[in-house]
Amino acid sequence: MTIQRRFSAILLLFGCTLYSAPPNFEISRIPDGKFAPLRKGIPQFIEVFGIPVLGTARTPPGKLKHAAIILAEYLDNDEDGKPDNPKVLATMVKRDAFLFMTKD
């Protein structure tokens, strides 16, 4: 196994461990990081297994929570609190996947 493959495998495993905490679906403020500059226009934030779910001020909180729950069910279909396919989640996190919602 090459060094690059080993590093990728370690990163994949670390990334899955890092982001595998079950979501709590609480709407909060965007934390510090790459999305911080958007705080003014996008005040709603939920994190689902490391995937940001962002909503504008006019996005109904119930709809934002619903979208976060659907994303969580997609990633954790058996609802055991862990992603069903850690490789899928690791790839999504690596590629900076996010879900953005507006009012409509």
Side-chain angles (χ1 to χ4, degrees):
M1 186 180 261
T2 67
I3 291 175
Q4 183 179 9
R5 283 185 151 200
R6 284 185 191 162
F7 181 73
S8 295
I10 291 169
L11 186 61
L12 246 161
L13 291 172
F14 178 73
C16 293
T17 302
L18 183 64
Y19 294 109
S20 63
N24 66 11
F25 307 112
E26 293 297 320
I27 296 175
S28 63
R29 207 173 153 241
I30 294 177
D32 291 336
K34 65 184 133 221
F35 292 107
L38 303 175
R39 282 185 188 142
K40 186 175 181 180
I42 304 172
Q44 299 186 81
F45 172 87
I46 301 174
E47 187 170 78
V48 177
F49 296 116
I51 308 295
V53 180
L54 308 165
T56 65
R58 295 179 61 191
T59 304
K63 291 193 179 222
L64 189 71
K65 283 185 180 184
H66 178 73
I69 290 168
I70 296 299
L71 177 60
E73 288 175 347
Y74 172 74
L75 295 171
D76 177 20
N77 193 259
D78 61 6
E79 296 182 6
D80 66 352
K82 296 179 277 187
D84 296 334
N85 190 333
K87 289 181 181 181
V88 169
L89 178 62
T91 300
M92 290 176 73
V93 170
K94 179 181 174 186
R95 293 183 181 200
D96 294 325
F98 65 93
L99 177 63
F100 176 73
M101 293 188 62
T102 61
K103 177 185 173 199
D104 298 324

